[in-house]
Amino acid sequence: MTTRHNGAHTSVDTSGALAQSASQRRKIASFTNYRDAERAVDYLSDNKFPVGRTAIIGGDVRMVEQVIGRMNWGRALLNGATSGAVPGLFFGWIFGLFDLINPLVAAFTLALYGLVFGALIGAVMGAVFYALQRGRRDFSSVTMMVPSRYDLVVDEEVADEAQRLLSSLTPAGGAS
């Protein structure tokens, strides 16, 4: 980005400034759950602290895959139909809005057709993908990343003020 001031050009590298700012931060607190870290930032905000200079950083991240049930033909078809029905409904509705004569009726009708067509295509795709797995993964799961701690970091220039403010915050458990 280039700015002009009194006839001279000045070059400003905003990406470097952000990277430099992030490296000059101090950890002022660590929490075992996100709710407590969020509460600390909210407390800082309530006390007129410039919270734009803070960050909550999750550390010691681990992947957790929660198994939610068995996968079978019925579930494969249902999951596929559901994942196809939603975009089908949306695209049908959008295309129906382009009818200049009666957009409400056309939108409703095409949304219904889109829902049905999307569900059918999705069910077929779900069945194909399930068949291709050949029984190697007969379960459904949800994968998430879970940090074991949340560090509250603040720009070095305002870190002392943040620590002073947080020292008067009553602990809700999890602060160290």
Side-chain angles (χ1 to χ4, degrees):
M1 166 158 93
T2 303
T3 58
R4 189 175 190 90
H5 181 65
N6 293 336
H9 289 281
T10 307
S11 181
V12 178
D13 179 12
T14 56
S15 63
L18 289 175
Q20 183 180 12
S21 173
S23 66
Q24 295 177 347
R25 289 185 162 180
R26 183 188 331 160
K27 178 171 80 168
I28 61 167
S30 190
F31 303 90
T32 57
N33 63 60
Y34 181 78
R35 183 178 299 139
D36 289 340
E38 184 180 47
R39 180 176 173 259
V41 174
D42 188 50
Y43 181 79
L44 290 173
S45 177
D46 291 346
N47 286 282
K48 308 300 184 243
F49 182 82
V51 291
R53 302 184 75 178
T54 65
I56 299 173
I57 302 173
D60 296 330
V61 179
R62 60 192 170 123
M63 185 185 83
V64 176
E65 183 176 12
Q66 177 63 49
V67 177
I68 57 174
R70 294 184 57 85
M71 181 60 77
N72 55 30
W73 283 104
R75 184 172 288 241
L77 291 169
L78 182 63
N79 288 351
T82 303
S83 65
V86 173
L89 176 74
F90 177 72
F91 284 116
W93 176 69
I94 292 293
F95 284 125
L97 291 177
F98 290 117
D99 185 346
L100 298 176
I101 307 296
N102 198 350
L104 186 60
V105 173
F108 179 73
T109 305
L110 286 177
L112 187 60
Y113 286 143
L115 176 96
V116 171
F117 185 71
L120 289 173
I121 296 297
V124 169
M125 296 300 290
V128 167
F129 290 137
Y130 182 67
L132 289 174
Q133 289 179 358
R134 298 183 194 166
R136 284 187 303 249
R137 190 174 166 94
D138 283 339
F139 61 91
S140 298
S141 64
V142 176
T143 303
M144 61 191 115
M145 303 300 280
V146 180
S148 64
R149 74 172 193 284
Y150 298 89
D151 296 333
L152 178 58
V153 296
V154 179
D155 288 353
E156 188 63 45
E157 298 84 29
V158 292
D160 291 333
E161 180 187 356
Q163 278 186 311
R164 182 186 60 76
L165 286 170
L166 286 181
S167 67
S168 61
L169 176 67
T170 56
S176 61

